[in-house]
Coordinates of all heavy atoms in Angstrom, one line a residue:
M1207 N -8.1 40.4 6.8 CA -8.6 39.4 5.9 C -7.5 38.4 5.4 O -7.6 37.2 5.5 CB -9.3 40.1 4.7 CG -10.1 39.2 3.9 SD -11.5 38.3 4.7 CE -12.9 39.3 4.2
S1208 N -6.4 39.1 5.1 CA -5.3 38.2 4.6 C -4.7 37.4 5.7 O -4.3 36.2 5.5 CB -4.1 39.1 4.0 OG -3.6 39.9 5.0
R1209 N -4.8 37.9 6.9 CA -4.3 37.1 8.1 C -5.2 35.8 8.2 O -4.7 34.7 8.5 CB -4.4 38.0 9.3 CG -3.8 37.3 10.5 CD -3.9 38.2 11.8 NE -3.7 37.4 13.0 CZ -2.5 37.0 13.4 NH1 -1.4 37.2 12.7 NH2 -2.4 36.3 14.5
G1210 N -6.5 36.0 8.0 CA -7.4 34.8 8.1 C -7.0 33.8 7.1 O -6.9 32.6 7.4
F1211 N -6.7 34.2 5.9 CA -6.3 33.2 4.8 C -5.0 32.5 5.2 O -4.9 31.3 5.1 CB -6.1 34.0 3.5 CG -7.4 34.2 2.7 CD1 -7.8 35.4 2.4 CD2 -8.1 33.1 2.3 CE1 -9.0 35.6 1.7 CE2 -9.2 33.2 1.5 CZ -9.7 34.5 1.3
R1212 N -4.1 33.3 5.8 CA -2.8 32.7 6.1 C -3.0 31.6 7.2 O -2.5 30.5 7.1 CB -1.9 33.8 6.7 CG -0.4 33.4 6.4 CD 0.4 34.5 7.0 NE 0.4 34.5 8.4 CZ 1.4 34.5 9.2 NH1 2.6 34.4 8.7 NH2 1.3 34.5 10.5
N1213 N -3.9 31.9 8.2 CA -4.1 30.9 9.2 C -4.7 29.7 8.7 O -4.4 28.5 9.1 CB -5.0 31.5 10.3 CG -4.2 32.5 11.2 OD1 -3.0 32.5 11.2 ND2 -4.9 33.3 12.0
A1214 N -5.7 29.9 7.7 CA -6.3 28.7 7.1 C -5.3 27.8 6.4 O -5.3 26.6 6.5 CB -7.4 29.2 6.2
D1215 N -4.4 28.5 5.7 CA -3.3 27.8 5.0 C -2.5 26.9 6.0 O -2.2 25.8 5.7 CB -2.4 28.7 4.2 CG -3.1 29.2 2.9 OD1 -4.1 28.6 2.6 OD2 -2.5 30.1 2.3
E1216 N -2.1 27.6 7.1 CA -1.3 26.9 8.1 C -2.0 25.7 8.6 O -1.4 24.6 8.8 CB -0.9 27.8 9.2 CG 0.3 28.7 8.7 CD 0.6 29.8 9.7 OE1 0.0 29.8 10.8 OE2 1.4 30.7 9.4
T1217 N -3.3 25.8 9.0 CA -4.1 24.7 9.5 C -4.1 23.6 8.5 O -4.0 22.4 8.8 CB -5.5 25.2 9.9 OG1 -5.4 26.3 10.7 CG2 -6.3 24.1 10.5
Q1218 N -4.3 24.0 7.2 CA -4.5 23.0 6.2 C -3.2 22.2 6.0 O -3.1 21.0 5.9 CB -4.8 23.7 4.8 CG -5.0 22.7 3.7 CD -6.1 21.7 4.0 OE1 -7.2 22.1 4.5 NE2 -5.9 20.4 3.7
S1219 N -2.0 22.9 6.0 CA -0.7 22.2 5.8 C -0.4 21.4 7.0 O 0.2 20.3 6.9 CB 0.4 23.2 5.5 OG 0.7 23.9 6.7
M1220 N -0.8 21.8 8.2 CA -0.6 21.0 9.4 C -1.4 19.7 9.3 O -0.9 18.6 9.6 CB -1.0 21.7 10.6 CG 0.1 22.5 11.2 SD -0.4 23.6 12.6 CE -0.8 22.3 13.8
S1221 N -2.6 19.7 8.8 CA -3.4 18.5 8.8 C -3.0 17.6 7.6 O -3.0 16.4 7.7 CB -4.9 18.8 8.6 OG -5.2 19.3 7.4
D1222 N -2.5 18.3 6.5 CA -1.9 17.5 5.5 C -0.7 16.7 6.0 O -0.5 15.5 5.7 CB -1.4 18.4 4.3 CG -2.6 18.8 3.4 OD1 -3.7 18.3 3.6 OD2 -2.4 19.7 2.6
K1223 N 0.1 17.3 6.8 CA 1.3 16.6 7.3 C 0.9 15.5 8.2 O 1.5 14.4 8.2 CB 2.1 17.6 8.1 CG 3.5 17.1 8.5 CD 4.4 18.3 8.9 CE 5.8 17.8 9.3 NZ 5.8 17.2 10.7
A1224 N -0.1 15.7 9.1 CA -0.6 14.6 10.0 C -1.1 13.5 9.1 O -0.8 12.3 9.5 CB -1.7 15.2 10.9
V1225 N -1.9 13.7 8.1 CA -2.4 12.7 7.3 C -1.2 11.9 6.6 O -1.2 10.7 6.6 CB -3.3 13.2 6.2 CG1 -3.7 12.2 5.2 CG2 -4.6 13.7 6.9
A1226 N -0.2 12.7 6.1 CA 0.9 12.0 5.4 C 1.6 11.1 6.4 O 2.0 10.0 6.1 CB 1.8 13.1 4.9
E1227 N 1.8 11.6 7.7 CA 2.5 10.7 8.7 C 1.7 9.5 9.0 O 2.3 8.4 9.1 CB 2.7 11.6 9.9 CG 3.9 12.5 9.8 CD 4.0 13.5 10.9 OE1 3.2 13.4 11.9 OE2 4.9 14.3 10.9
Q1228 N 0.4 9.6 9.0 CA -0.5 8.4 9.3 C -0.3 7.4 8.2 O -0.2 6.2 8.4 CB -1.9 8.9 9.4 CG -2.4 9.0 10.9 CD -3.9 9.3 10.9 OE1 -4.5 9.8 10.0 NE2 -4.5 8.9 12.0
I1229 N -0.3 7.9 7.0 CA -0.2 7.0 5.8 C 1.1 6.3 5.8 O 1.2 5.1 5.6 CB -0.4 7.8 4.5 CG1 -1.9 8.3 4.4 CG2 0.0 7.0 3.3 CD1 -2.1 9.3 3.2
E1230 N 2.2 7.1 6.2 CA 3.5 6.5 6.3 C 3.6 5.4 7.3 O 4.2 4.3 7.1 CB 4.6 7.6 6.6 CG 5.2 8.2 5.4 CD 6.2 9.3 5.8 OE1 6.9 9.1 6.7 OE2 6.1 10.3 5.1
R1231 N 2.9 5.6 8.4 CA 2.9 4.6 9.5 C 2.2 3.3 9.0 O 2.6 2.2 9.2 CB 2.2 5.1 10.7 CG 3.1 5.7 11.7 CD 2.6 5.8 13.1 NE 1.4 6.7 13.1 CZ 1.5 8.0 13.3 NH1 2.7 8.5 13.5 NH2 0.5 8.8 13.4
I1232 N 1.1 3.5 8.3 CA 0.3 2.4 7.8 C 1.2 1.6 6.7 O 1.2 0.4 6.7 CB -1.0 2.8 7.1 CG1 -2.0 3.3 8.2 CG2 -1.7 1.7 6.3 CD1 -3.1 4.1 7.7
I1233 N 1.9 2.4 5.9 CA 2.7 1.7 4.9 C 3.8 0.9 5.5 O 4.2 -0.2 5.2 CB 3.3 2.8 3.9 CG1 2.1 3.3 3.0 CG2 4.3 2.2 3.0 CD1 2.5 4.5 2.2
D1234 N 4.5 1.6 6.5 CA 5.6 0.9 7.3 C 5.1 -0.4 7.9 O 5.8 -1.4 7.8 CB 6.1 1.8 8.4 CG 7.1 2.8 7.9 OD1 7.6 2.6 6.8 OD2 7.5 3.7 8.6
R1235 N 3.9 -0.4 8.5 CA 3.4 -1.5 9.2 C 3.1 -2.7 8.2 O 3.3 -3.8 8.5 CB 2.1 -1.2 9.9 CG 1.8 -2.1 11.0 CD 0.8 -1.5 11.9 NE -0.4 -0.9 11.2 CZ -1.1 0.1 11.6 NH1 -0.8 0.7 12.7 NH2 -2.1 0.5 10.9
G1236 N 2.7 -2.3 7.0 CA 2.3 -3.4 6.0 C 3.4 -3.7 5.0 O 3.2 -4.5 4.1
R1237 N 4.6 -3.2 5.2 CA 5.6 -3.3 4.2 C 6.1 -4.8 4.1 O 6.4 -5.3 3.0 CB 6.8 -2.4 4.5 CG 7.8 -2.4 3.3 CD 8.7 -1.2 3.5 NE 8.1 0.1 3.2 CZ 8.5 1.3 3.6 NH1 9.5 1.4 4.4 NH2 7.9 2.4 3.2
E1238 N 6.1 -5.5 5.2 CA 6.6 -6.9 5.2 C 5.8 -7.8 4.4 O 6.4 -8.5 3.6 CB 6.7 -7.4 6.7 CG 7.8 -6.7 7.5 CD 9.2 -6.7 6.8 OE1 9.6 -7.8 6.3 OE2 9.9 -5.7 6.6
D1239 N 4.5 -7.9 4.6 CA 3.7 -8.8 3.8 C 2.5 -8.0 3.4 O 1.5 -7.9 4.1 CB 3.4 -10.1 4.5 CG 2.6 -9.8 5.8 OD1 2.8 -8.7 6.4 OD2 1.9 -10.7 6.2
V1240 N 2.6 -7.4 2.2 CA 1.5 -6.5 1.7 C 0.4 -7.4 1.1 O 0.7 -8.2 0.2 CB 2.0 -5.5 0.7 CG1 0.9 -4.7 0.2 CG2 3.1 -4.7 1.3
A1241 N -0.8 -7.4 1.6 CA -1.8 -8.2 1.1 C -2.2 -7.7 -0.3 O -2.1 -6.5 -0.6 CB -3.1 -8.1 1.9
A1242 N -2.5 -8.6 -1.2 CA -2.9 -8.1 -2.6 C -4.1 -7.2 -2.5 O -5.0 -7.4 -1.8 CB -3.3 -9.3 -3.4
V1243 N -4.0 -6.1 -3.2 CA -5.0 -5.1 -3.2 C -6.1 -5.4 -4.2 O -5.8 -5.6 -5.4 CB -4.4 -3.7 -3.5 CG1 -5.5 -2.6 -3.6 CG2 -3.3 -3.3 -2.5
D1244 N -7.3 -5.6 -3.8 CA -8.4 -5.9 -4.7 C -8.1 -7.2 -5.5 O -8.5 -7.3 -6.6 CB -8.7 -4.7 -5.7 CG -9.1 -3.5 -4.9 OD1 -9.7 -3.7 -3.8 OD2 -8.9 -2.4 -5.4
G1245 N -7.4 -8.1 -4.9 CA -7.2 -9.4 -5.6 C -6.3 -9.2 -6.8 O -6.4 -10.0 -7.7
R1246 N -5.4 -8.2 -6.7 CA -4.5 -8.0 -7.9 C -3.1 -8.4 -7.5 O -2.7 -8.2 -6.4 CB -4.6 -6.5 -8.4 CG -5.9 -6.2 -8.9 CD -5.9 -5.0 -9.8 NE -7.2 -4.9 -10.5 CZ -7.4 -5.4 -11.7 NH1 -6.5 -6.0 -12.4 NH2 -8.6 -5.3 -12.3
C1247 N -2.4 -8.9 -8.5 CA -1.1 -9.4 -8.3 C -0.1 -8.2 -8.0 O -0.2 -7.2 -8.7 CB -0.6 -10.1 -9.6 SG 1.1 -10.5 -9.6
N1248 N 0.7 -8.4 -7.0 CA 1.6 -7.3 -6.6 C 2.7 -7.1 -7.6 O 3.4 -6.1 -7.6 CB 2.2 -7.6 -5.2 CG 1.3 -7.3 -4.1 OD1 0.2 -6.6 -4.3 ND2 1.6 -7.6 -2.9
D1249 N 3.0 -8.1 -8.4 CA 4.1 -8.0 -9.4 C 3.6 -7.4 -10.7 O 4.2 -6.5 -11.2 CB 4.6 -9.4 -9.7 CG 5.7 -9.8 -8.6 OD1 5.7 -9.1 -7.6 OD2 6.4 -10.8 -8.7
C1250 N 2.5 -8.0 -11.3 CA 2.1 -7.5 -12.6 C 0.8 -6.7 -12.6 O 0.5 -6.1 -13.6 CB 2.0 -8.7 -13.6 SG 0.5 -9.7 -13.2
G1251 N 0.1 -6.7 -11.5 CA -1.1 -5.9 -11.3 C -2.3 -6.6 -11.9 O -3.4 -6.0 -11.9
G1252 N -2.1 -7.8 -12.5 CA -3.2 -8.5 -13.1 C -4.0 -9.2 -12.0 O -3.6 -9.3 -10.9
P1253 N -5.2 -9.7 -12.4 CA -6.0 -10.4 -11.4 C -5.4 -11.7 -10.9 O -4.9 -12.4 -11.7 CB -7.3 -10.6 -12.1 CG -7.0 -10.6 -13.6 CD -5.8 -9.7 -13.7
I1254 N -5.5 -11.9 -9.6 CA -4.9 -13.2 -9.1 C -5.8 -14.3 -9.4 O -5.4 -15.5 -9.6 CB -4.6 -13.0 -7.6 CG1 -3.5 -12.1 -7.3 CG2 -4.4 -14.4 -6.9 CD1 -3.2 -11.7 -5.9
G1255 N -7.1 -14.1 -9.3 CA -8.1 -15.1 -9.6 C -8.8 -15.5 -8.3 O -8.2 -15.8 -7.3
A1256 N -10.1 -15.6 -8.4 CA -11.0 -15.8 -7.2 C -10.6 -17.2 -6.7 O -10.6 -17.4 -5.4 CB -12.4 -15.7 -7.6
E1257 N -10.5 -18.2 -7.5 CA -10.2 -19.6 -7.0 C -8.9 -19.6 -6.3 O -8.8 -20.3 -5.2 CB -10.2 -20.5 -8.2 CG -11.5 -20.9 -8.7 CD -11.5 -21.9 -9.9 OE1 -10.5 -22.6 -10.0 OE2 -12.4 -21.9 -10.7
R1258 N -7.9 -19.0 -6.8 CA -6.6 -18.9 -6.2 C -6.7 -18.2 -4.8 O -6.1 -18.7 -3.8 CB -5.5 -18.3 -7.1 CG -4.2 -18.1 -6.5 CD -3.1 -17.8 -7.5 NE -1.9 -17.3 -6.9 CZ -1.0 -18.1 -6.3 NH1 -1.2 -19.4 -6.2 NH2 0.1 -17.6 -5.8
L1259 N -7.4 -17.1 -4.8 CA -7.5 -16.4 -3.5 C -8.3 -17.2 -2.5 O -8.1 -17.1 -1.3 CB -8.2 -15.0 -3.8 CG -7.2 -13.9 -4.3 CD1 -8.0 -12.7 -4.6 CD2 -6.2 -13.6 -3.3
E1260 N -9.2 -18.0 -3.0 CA -10.0 -18.8 -2.1 C -9.2 -19.9 -1.5 O -9.3 -20.2 -0.3 CB -11.2 -19.4 -2.8 CG -12.5 -19.5 -2.0 CD -13.7 -19.8 -2.8 OE1 -14.1 -18.9 -3.6 OE2 -14.2 -20.9 -2.7
A1261 N -8.3 -20.5 -2.3 CA -7.5 -21.5 -1.8 C -6.3 -21.0 -1.0 O -5.9 -21.6 0.0 CB -6.9 -22.3 -3.0
L1262 N -5.9 -19.8 -1.3 CA -4.8 -19.2 -0.6 C -5.0 -17.7 -0.4 O -4.6 -16.8 -1.2 CB -3.5 -19.4 -1.5 CG -2.2 -19.0 -0.8 CD1 -1.9 -19.9 0.4 CD2 -1.0 -19.1 -1.8
P1263 N -5.8 -17.3 0.6 CA -6.2 -15.9 0.8 C -5.1 -15.0 0.9 O -5.2 -13.8 0.7 CB -7.1 -16.0 2.1 CG -7.5 -17.4 2.2 CD -6.4 -18.2 1.6
S1264 N -3.9 -15.5 1.3 CA -2.8 -14.6 1.5 C -1.9 -14.4 0.3 O -0.9 -13.8 0.3 CB -1.9 -15.1 2.7 OG -1.4 -16.4 2.3
A1265 N -2.4 -15.0 -0.8 CA -1.7 -14.9 -2.1 C -1.5 -13.4 -2.5 O -2.5 -12.7 -2.4 CB -2.4 -15.7 -3.2
T1266 N -0.3 -13.1 -2.9 CA -0.1 -11.7 -3.3 C 0.4 -11.6 -4.7 O 0.6 -10.5 -5.2 CB 1.0 -11.0 -2.4 OG1 2.2 -11.9 -2.4 CG2 0.6 -10.9 -1.0
R1267 N 0.5 -12.8 -5.4 CA 0.8 -12.8 -6.8 C -0.1 -13.7 -7.6 O -0.6 -14.7 -7.0 CB 2.3 -13.3 -7.0 CG 3.3 -12.4 -6.4 CD 4.7 -13.0 -6.5 NE 5.7 -12.1 -5.9 CZ 6.0 -12.2 -4.6 NH1 5.5 -13.1 -3.9 NH2 6.9 -11.4 -4.1
C1268 N -0.2 -13.5 -8.9 CA -0.9 -14.4 -9.7 C -0.1 -15.7 -9.9 O 1.1 -15.7 -9.5 CB -1.3 -13.8 -11.1 SG 0.2 -13.5 -12.1
V1269 N -0.7 -16.7 -10.5 CA 0.0 -18.0 -10.6 C 1.3 -17.8 -11.4 O 2.3 -18.4 -11.0 CB -0.9 -19.0 -11.3 CG1 -0.2 -20.3 -11.5 CG2 -2.2 -19.2 -10.5
A1270 N 1.3 -17.1 -12.5 CA 2.5 -16.9 -13.3 C 3.6 -16.2 -12.5 O 4.7 -16.7 -12.6 CB 2.1 -16.1 -14.6
C1271 N 3.2 -15.1 -11.8 CA 4.3 -14.4 -11.1 C 4.7 -15.2 -9.9 O 5.9 -15.1 -9.6 CB 3.7 -13.0 -10.7 SG 3.5 -11.9 -12.0
Q1272 N 3.9 -15.9 -9.3 CA 4.3 -16.8 -8.2 C 5.3 -17.8 -8.6 O 6.3 -18.0 -8.0 CB 3.1 -17.5 -7.5 CG 3.4 -18.3 -6.3 CD 3.9 -17.4 -5.1 OE1 3.4 -16.3 -4.9 NE2 4.9 -17.9 -4.4
A1273 N 5.0 -18.4 -9.8 CA 5.9 -19.4 -10.3 C 7.3 -18.8 -10.6 O 8.3 -19.3 -10.3 CB 5.3 -20.1 -11.6
A1274 N 7.3 -17.6 -11.3 CA 8.5 -16.9 -11.6 C 9.2 -16.5 -10.3 O 10.5 -16.7 -10.3 CB 8.2 -15.7 -12.4
W1275 N 8.5 -16.1 -9.3 CA 9.1 -15.7 -8.1 C 9.8 -16.9 -7.4 O 10.9 -16.8 -6.9 CB 8.1 -15.1 -7.1 CG 8.7 -14.6 -5.9 CD1 9.3 -13.4 -5.6 CD2 8.7 -15.3 -4.6 NE1 9.7 -13.3 -4.3 CE2 9.4 -14.5 -3.7 CE3 8.3 -16.5 -4.2 CZ2 9.6 -14.8 -2.4 CZ3 8.5 -16.9 -2.9 CH2 9.2 -16.1 -2.0
E1276 N 9.1 -18.0 -7.4 CA 9.6 -19.2 -6.8 C 10.9 -19.7 -7.5 O 11.8 -20.2 -6.9 CB 8.6 -20.3 -6.7 CG 7.6 -20.0 -5.6 CD 6.4 -21.1 -5.6 OE1 6.5 -22.1 -6.3 OE2 5.5 -20.8 -4.8
Q1277 N 10.9 -19.5 -8.8 CA 12.1 -19.9 -9.6 C 13.3 -19.0 -9.2 O 14.4 -19.4 -9.0 CB 11.8 -19.8 -11.1 CG 11.3 -21.1 -11.7 CD 11.3 -21.0 -13.2 OE1 11.2 -19.9 -13.8 NE2 11.3 -22.1 -13.9
R1278 N 13.0 -17.7 -9.1 CA 14.0 -16.7 -8.7 C 14.5 -17.1 -7.3 O 15.7 -16.9 -7.0 CB 13.5 -15.3 -8.7 CG 13.4 -14.7 -10.1 CD 13.5 -13.2 -10.0 NE 12.3 -12.6 -9.2 CZ 11.1 -12.4 -9.7 NH1 10.9 -12.6 -11.0 NH2 10.2 -11.9 -8.9
A1279 N 13.6 -17.5 -6.4 CA 14.0 -17.8 -5.1 C 14.7 -19.1 -5.0 O 15.2 -19.5 -3.9 CB 12.8 -17.7 -4.2
G1280 N 14.7 -19.9 -6.1 CA 15.4 -21.2 -6.1 C 14.6 -22.2 -5.3 O 15.3 -23.1 -4.7
R1281 N 13.3 -22.1 -5.3 CA 12.6 -23.2 -4.6 C 12.1 -24.2 -5.6 O 11.6 -23.9 -6.6 CB 11.3 -22.6 -3.9 CG 11.8 -21.8 -2.7 CD 10.6 -21.2 -1.9 NE 11.0 -20.1 -1.1 CZ 10.1 -19.4 -0.4 NH1 8.9 -19.7 -0.3 NH2 10.6 -18.4 0.3
Ligands
LIG338 ZN1 1.3 -11.4 -11.8

């Protein structure tokens, strides 16, 4: 009986590892330009705004953070 439990644990940890590796691959792939999640600013987490996203679907920051970022970047 205990052997059965042990095998189940090993199978579970193996699939956990596989899932973790898959997630890491997805994160690696998207690291360069991460699209805003649910229309939220990547900097402050606030809403980017539907109008802004419509005008610029690739926007990853709200207007305020984008302006601050552009100032930091010296543009
Ligand atoms: Zn923001």
Side-chain angles (χ1 to χ4, degrees):
M1207 193 59 101
S1208 64
R1209 185 178 164 77
F1211 275 118
R1212 209 179 67 124
N1213 284 346
D1215 281 352
E1216 279 171 10
T1217 306
Q1218 183 61 43
S1219 72
M1220 272 174 67
S1221 73
D1222 281 352
K1223 191 164 178 285
V1225 169
E1227 280 171 3
Q1228 258 186 336
I1229 290 169
E1230 267 177 45
R1231 268 200 294 275
I1232 290 165
I1233 291 170
D1234 274 348
R1235 203 163 47 210
R1237 191 165 281 159
E1238 289 307 312
D1239 59 335
V1240 181
V1243 178
D1244 295 334
R1246 293 202 171 264
C1247 173
N1248 279 351
D1249 278 11
C1250 71
I1254 289 174
E1257 281 179 26
R1258 176 165 165 74
L1259 277 174
E1260 214 166 295
L1262 188 65
S1264 62
T1266 54
R1267 293 179 183 86
C1268 68
V1269 176
C1271 289
Q1272 182 65 38
W1275 182 84
E1276 284 177 9
Q1277 269 190 338
R1278 278 204 303 275
R1281 288 184 201 177

